[in-house]
Amino acid sequence: VGSFPPNGFGLFDMTGNVWEWTTDWYSERHEADADKPCCVPANPRGPEVEGSYDPRQPQFRIPRKVIKGGSFLCADSYCMRYRPAARRPQMIDTGMSHIGFRCVRRR
């Protein structure tokens, strides 16, 4: 923590602490867009809640949100694109200890 200087906004440690919850519902399209990291998807907000279920696990009807960034538990074997813009799905009923959120303070 605090090993590197702050970014242009004065923020430290923007990756590597916890995965961050977003308001976006996850879709498999997010994975298809992963090979184009320079390009914004046509609908970066993702689908509605019904489109967020994992088609490979139809027995689980738990919606998934996008989590971004990376965490202290990341390893090269499963954390690809370890950066603030990295996206992964996470079921909303998780109890994982390495997922959090950021607060925004507006002036």
Side-chain angles (χ1 to χ4, degrees):
V1 174
S3 298
F4 300 97
N7 67 14
F9 298 106
L11 301 173
F12 290 88
D13 306 319
M14 292 301 294
T15 14
N17 189 11
V18 295
W19 284 98
E20 297 172 18
W21 283 114
T22 71
T23 58
D24 299 351
W25 295 108
Y26 189 83
S27 81
E28 298 305 311
R29 187 187 52 75
H30 286 128
E31 292 177 18
D33 290 338
D35 64 344
K36 299 178 286 184
C38 66
C39 308
V40 175
N43 179 9
R45 302 298 296 175
E48 296 300 318
V49 65
E50 296 80 21
S52 72
Y53 300 113
D54 188 345
R56 294 171 295 204
Q57 296 181 320
Q59 71 274 27
F60 298 116
R61 297 291 298 164
I62 301 169
R64 300 177 299 164
K65 289 278 191 172
V66 172
I67 57 173
K68 295 180 82 173
S71 83
F72 59 91
L73 292 176
C74 277
D76 291 341
S77 60
Y78 61 89
C79 281
M80 295 172 24
R81 303 177 315 275
Y82 182 58
R83 58 192 172 86
R87 295 175 173 232
R88 292 184 57 90
Q90 183 61 60
M91 291 179 180
I92 63 170
D93 68 344
T94 185
M96 300 299 288
S97 65
H98 64 121
I99 297 176
F101 58 92
R102 291 197 185 273
C103 296
V104 175
R105 179 178 172 207
R106 300 199 172 155
R107 295 180 202 198

